[in-house]
Amino acid sequence: MRDFDKKALNKHSALKRRALGGLLSLSLLLSGAFGGTEALAQQKQEKDEFTYGDLIEKIEQGEVERVELDETEKVARVFLAEADSDKPIKVRLLDDNRELIRELREGRVDFAETSSANSRVAVSLLFNLMWILPLVTLMLLFLRRTTNASSQAMNFGKSKARFQIEAKTGIKFDDVAGIEEAKEELGEVVTFLKQPEKFTAVGARIPKGVLLVGPPGTGKTLLAKAIAGEAGVPFFSISGSEFVEMFVGVGASRVRDLFKKAKENAPCLIFIDEIDAVGRQRGAGIGGGNDEREQTLNQLLTEMDGFEGNNGIIIIAATNRPDVLDAALLRPGRFDRQVIVDAPDRKGRLSILQVHARNKKVDPSVSLEVVARRTPGFTGADLANLLNEAAILTARRRKETITQIEIDDAIDRLTIGLTLNPLLDSKKKRLIAYHEVGHALLATVLEHADPLNKVTIIPRSGGVGGFSQQTPNEEIIDSGLYSKAWLKDNITMTLGGRASEAEVFGDKEITGGASNDLKQVTNLARKMVTMFGMSNLGLVALESQNRDVFLGGDWGNRNEYSEDMATQIDKKVREIALSCYQEARQIMRENRPLLDRLVDLLIEQETIEGEQFRKIVSEYTKIPENKLVVST
């Protein structure tokens, strides 16, 4: 037991000695490491920097090559002759360094005084300029803008009319087609300017103004360009809206300035586009006598025919709202002539198509006569857009020339909408087919309805599931002389879609697809009763198409009949619609097998042309003679 305690005690003493020895070794290592680091740092400090006295000693020993004295930081940068690098050694200076300078001179050491304050000042100045320069730039821009504004204010009353000594519009009368009557009258204006003696010899007076009146897109501005191109005289062009500003008197000042320039260049032409912007009836608005538009109009009236004449100046103005112009503006002596530029007839449309087809690659098989026949009511702008759309479709389909297919598709696109993906075979597709075939069948069998061009169930944009297209009767459409038979047959044809749905699917399955048809039916039937005197209410015009443009829409219209008459009008309108609907259903009922065959064929082909449709119908029933041969 005692030996065991001795062994354990000896073992514990040995472990304790080993632990103390390890700690001592670790302390020696750490002290050596830190001591070495301090020694290295001290050696580096001694190498990179020494005291003032050391510097004096180095100078006396001739080891210094050059010294830079910085009085601002009180530092001397010493370059030793035997140094390994060009990096200077820094020495802290005293307040009085006369001894150092004397030693440098005696030792013939190059020295110079430098200052870091200069570089700091330069940096500070550059930093300040970084803020000052943008401010100066903004001030210069503001001053420049103010100068421009002041110069514009001085020219505020100047006319903005575009002036050309010789108008080179690139347009002649040969480039204007479809409005021959207007060209003839305006051709005299050109002759007035070129050969005035031809008219003055017989006492004729040169007209002062010509007003071009017509719907949008009929070529009023194009005619003005043609006059300018033909006359070869100085030409001013301006829009009516450019006279009117928010400041009272500016428009009148511009009118004076415009006529002043025109008199200096007489004989000349002035073209005012959209003159209704400045020539509206006075006193029709809310403003009083200081209204800007009235001031401008008064000045225009005075310049055109006031105390002073404007000989040699012919004014051409264009508008599509002659009903809003002031009466003083329209009287002879101001606008001596009013030239109507209306939508072209078939011959005019053909001429316009020929003009716009000059620069397009049109296939020889295309008949522009057919296109002109299919586009009643189209203006010159509409026809130009039609051929442009056909050209775009041709390029999209990678064809080299425009064919009749592209033109027909362009007409459908402009009049109905974009073509969408065909419907799948379903109940909806069959219902649409019965609806459209109902229209097409009545258009074929009714004597006075317009003949069918084609029927299709290919959907179009705008929610159009299909359509039945007719070839309009040009004589009726262009003249506006609607016969009672034509009106009733067209009402019956319009109700053909609803009648077909009711006969095939029953009254409980009819849809709202005939909503637009019912609007058209109501409009035609009401005109028959209230405007055309085609009812037993008598030969009286109970309503009119005049619209009060200052109140907007039909707000200003007043019914010239009693409430009892209004009830009778509604009753007659319903009687006409119901009578035509019963006739449509009767025709559907009598021709049900034909209706089913046409629907099956339409679902299969998706489009049936008019000639094919009439051929099938003729196998089942008699077709009026005027529908057997349809000119195309």
Side-chain angles (χ1 to χ4, degrees), residues 13-25:
S13 300
L15 291 175
K16 187 176 181 180
R17 285 195 299 270
R18 289 179 184 176
L20 290 175
L23 289 175
L24 182 60
S25 301

Side-chain angles (χ1 to χ4, degrees), residues 244-509:
V244 182
E245 292 282 354
M246 64 180 293
F247 303 104
V248 176
V250 173
S253 175
R254 288 179 178 174
V255 172
R256 288 191 296 270
D257 186 65
L258 172 62
F259 278 87
K260 179 182 177 182
K261 292 179 181 178
K263 290 174 183 178
E264 294 172 355
N265 295 276
C268 68
L269 280 172
I270 296 178
F271 174 60
I272 305 176
D273 198 9
E274 304 296 344
I275 194 173
D276 52 275
V278 69
R280 288 176 179 266
Q281 295 179 17
R282 291 169 290 181
I286 300 177
N290 287 328
D291 182 64
E292 165 67 0
R293 184 178 285 108
E294 290 192 7
Q295 294 274 11
T296 306
L297 176 58
N298 291 336
Q299 187 64 45
L300 181 61
L301 295 175
T302 303
E303 292 290 346
M304 290 185 68
D305 188 23
F307 193 76
E308 296 182 3
N310 57 348
N311 296 328
I313 301 175
I314 295 180
I315 301 173
I316 301 174
T319 181
N320 50 26
R321 297 299 305 275
D323 52 324
V324 307
L325 296 180
D326 194 274
L329 190 65
L330 300 176
R331 72 162 176 83
R334 292 197 173 104
F335 282 109
D336 301 272
R337 293 187 176 186
Q338 291 190 26
V339 179
I340 305 299
V341 187
D342 209 345
D345 55 9
R346 186 177 66 184
K347 183 179 179 181
R349 292 195 295 272
L350 177 59
S351 301
I352 294 173
L353 289 169
Q354 290 172 346
V355 169
H356 291 293
R358 292 175 185 172
N359 59 348
K360 292 179 174 60
K361 295 181 179 180
V362 181
D363 193 88
S365 63
V366 173
S367 174
L368 296 180
E369 175 69 28
V370 174
V371 179
R373 187 181 298 275
R374 286 193 55 196
T375 52
F378 274 48
T379 63
D382 295 331
L383 294 172
N385 189 32
L386 168 63
L387 290 183
N388 185 60
E389 287 291 339
I392 293 174
L393 289 174
T394 302
R396 184 180 300 169
R397 295 170 182 176
R398 298 182 180 180
K399 293 184 178 180
E400 296 182 356
T401 57
I402 302 173
T403 65
Q404 192 69 43
I405 298 176
E406 280 69 44
I407 293 180
D408 292 341
D409 290 344
I411 293 175
D412 294 341
R413 179 173 183 174
L414 295 176
T415 56
I416 301 173
L418 295 173
T419 303
L420 303 179
N421 294 327
L423 296 173
L424 298 176
D425 193 4
S426 60
K427 181 179 178 181
K428 177 182 178 181
K429 185 174 183 179
R430 181 165 291 272
L431 191 146
I432 293 174
Y434 271 105
H435 184 99
E436 300 304 335
V437 168
H439 290 304
L441 181 58
L442 292 180
T444 303
V445 300
L446 293 175
E447 180 179 359
H448 301 284
D450 294 335
L452 179 70
N453 179 55
K454 70 176 178 181
V455 59
T456 180
I457 54 173
I458 298 176
R460 300 274 173 164
S461 59
V464 180
F467 62 91
S468 175
Q469 188 180 68
Q470 297 170 271
T471 302
N473 190 323
E474 186 178 0
E475 295 180 357
I476 295 178
I477 297 298
D478 291 343
S479 64
L481 300 176
Y482 307 106
S483 66
K484 184 176 181 179
W486 184 88
L487 288 168
K488 292 198 68 174
D489 280 1
N490 274 276
I491 291 175
T492 305
M493 183 276 303
T494 306
L495 291 170
R498 169 59 65 87
S500 177
E501 291 181 20
E503 285 296 324
V504 175
F505 300 99
D507 291 334
K508 293 184 178 180
E509 294 294 327

